[in-house]
Structures are given as C-alpha cells and as structure tokens.
Amino acid sequence: MQTITIIKPDDFHLHLRDGIALSTVANHTAAQFSRAIIMPNLNPPVVNTEMALAYKKRILQCVDGKYNFEPLMTLYLTDNTSVSTIKTGAESNIIKALKYYPSGATTNSDQGVTDIKMTYMALNAMMEDGLPLLVHGEVTGDDVDVFDREAVFIDQVLIPLVKDFPELKIVFEHITTRAAVDFVMESSDKIAATITPQHILLNRNDLFKGGLQPHHYCLPILKAEDDRQAVSEAATSGNPKFFLGTDSAPHTRTMKETSCGCAGIYSALNALEIYVEAFDSVGKLDKLEAFASHYGADYYDLPRNMEQMTLIRNEQDIPDVFPLGDDEIVPFRAGGTCSWQLKK
Ligand code: NCD
Ligand code: ZN
C-alpha cells in the first residue's frame, strides 16, 4: 500500500503547556489531529472550569485559522477537588475528564493526589456524571523499582479503585507493560488505555544506546522488550479499549540535556506519521484508523470526526531541533527519518 486515507484522528493525551511553548507547538498537533485531550499539569495546575475555559481560549488563540481543532479540556484532580467542582465541570460541557497524578509521579505533579481515598467524594460525583478519570498509573516512593511502578500501581491502587467504583470510567494513560495490557483486557468496558508512539516502538535499551539518551526519557519509563511487544500488540489488535494518546510533552533542550533532566518526549511534530510507520512495520495498517480515529471518540461519547486525511509512503527527514524562543526542542526521532508523510 502506498497511500492510506483515514478519518482525521484525535490525540487523547497531549501536553501543550502555555505561553511561548504553547504557541510553538499547538499547530503541530492541529495539523494532524481534530481534537486532543489537553493535560492540565500547568504551573499552577488547571483545577476548575474557569481556569480550563481560560486555558482553552489561550490554546485556540494559538491555532492557525486553517485548522478546525478542538481542545478537549481536563481538570487536575487534587486531594481538595470538591463535589461542586465536579458538578460545575460536568454541567459546563467544557470538562471532558479529570487527571489523576499521584503526587510526585511526574512533571508538575507535586499538587497531585497524596492518597486516592482523599478523592472518593469527587470520584463518586464523576461516576454519577459519567466523567472519566485519566490515570497516571505509577506508584511513587523510593522503595519501588522505577521499572515496576506501573505494575505495582495496578495491584495497590487500580484494582481496589475499580472494586470501589465499578461504574467509573477510567483511562489507564500511556500504558507501558504487559501487566497493564492484561489488566485492561480483563476489565469491564469502563476501563480503557491510551498508547504512545514511543511505547510501541522503543524499549529500555533505547535509553542507553551508545550513551545516555535523555530524549528517550519519559514517564512511565520505557520498559523491557516483552512489555514493548505487548503494548504494540494491544495497539494493533483492533481491541476498542486501546486508542491513540501521544503524551507529546515538550521540554526545552536545556531542560532535557542537563544533570537532572525532565521527563517527556516531544512527538507531536510527526506523531501520526510515526504511528502509521509503526502499524505498517507489523503489517497492521488495516487496524490504524480505528485505533487513531474511532475508539477514543467512542469511549468519550464524542461523534467520530468527518474530515479525512491521506498519508503517503514517502521517506522524510525529521529535523534535529526546532526553535522555542531562544531555546530549542529536540523532537522524537530527531535527525532520523519517517517512511510515511502527511499529504498536504
Ligand atoms: C509529562 C510532562 O512532561 O508533562 N511527562 C512525561 O514524561 N510523560 C507528564 C506525564 O504525562 O507523565
Ligand atoms: Zn502525559
């Protein structure tokens, strides 16, 4: 196959940041995706509908008029999120989900949840209103090996949570392990997962190939080859529980290439093309459209998009860097190539 035409996809896990970073990256996503779930881990975090509405406006101001792009806003769950915050969010039609960061788990998560039990009133309200909980599924704490944090989270947090709230919609974000794939497959249809391009394509060897590779450092961290295979198989299986979420997370080059570098991979520049290449490489192009354009919308009770887009098999170079103010961003697969290209 030399071309593929699909319904324009959505990105169900995206970090756009704010200010100059937002204006630098927003159109990369808008060129490829109709809608995106916008993660609320700004500083300060987006904790109520008013803040989300203001942030949505700032995003739309940065999007080129030629794109018909809709940011799908989320709130940052804290120990103090009230039932009225949930109710206002649900009634507003602006808020599509809440994001649960265990405190200290990742970028800008220090105001995250310290104990999930603190949020039970809020979760109950979400369950009543049908608002999904988006989960960064890693335990924190130095007693757990960094490669085991997702698997331990399933046992310690997720299984009890699902038992207490069987009707709550939960998206296990950016899954990285066979344990997570198995958990999602064995759970009810309330439980789904997003899958990033890096967790389909890379394993933990890629963190150390020829030297330390800071641009492959993201959270949850890349896992072993068996886990990567499980994640790749899930993404390309045609199971509607698994859908596209890039977790594209821009950080400046300075913040990545330093003695204590930030977690996050910036994939938005070529995300869709890279997913297409990944599906093609395992002979599963026929499963791409549903993963990218149907299952996420269906899960979120959104209409499927109407617009179509075409990708062509044509090798393109991925730039080494692009400017962000007086700094730079190093995109995913910088300096490499991608064998598929969006038709302009
Ligand atoms: C994300 C970021 O930088 O905001 N980083 C990452 O490594 N994925 C946060 C997150 O989703 O964990
Ligand atoms: Zn993320």
Side-chain angles (χ1 to χ4, degrees), residues 13 15 17 41 99 106-107 136 174 218-219 247 249 251 263-264:
H13 186 133
H15 301 270
R17 315 299 191 207
N41 61 331
K99 180 67 189 281
T106 187
T107 308
H136 183 107
H174 42 49
C218 67
L219 289 171
D247 194 21
H251 291 279

Side-chain angles (χ1 to χ4, degrees), residues 98-118:
L98 276 91
K99 180 67 189 281
Y100 161 32
Y101 292 102
S103 180
T106 187
T107 308
N108 289 343
S109 64
D110 37 312
Q111 291 187 59
V113 173
T114 59
D115 176 355
I116 189 69
K117 290 246 150 75
M118 305 277 288

Side-chain angles (χ1 to χ4, degrees), residues 264-286:
I265 293 180
Y266 186 72
S267 61
L269 191 61
N270 299 91
L272 184 59
E273 294 150 331
I274 291 172
Y275 278 113
V276 175
E277 187 186 89
F279 275 62
D280 189 21
S281 71
V282 292
K284 292 288 173 69
L285 270 184
D286 60 317

Side-chain angles (χ1 to χ4, degrees), residues 285-303:
L285 270 184
D286 60 317
K287 297 290 195 290
L288 178 83
E289 183 177 37
F291 171 80
S293 314
H294 296 166
Y295 298 151
D298 297 350
Y299 180 84
Y300 275 86
D301 295 321
L302 298 166

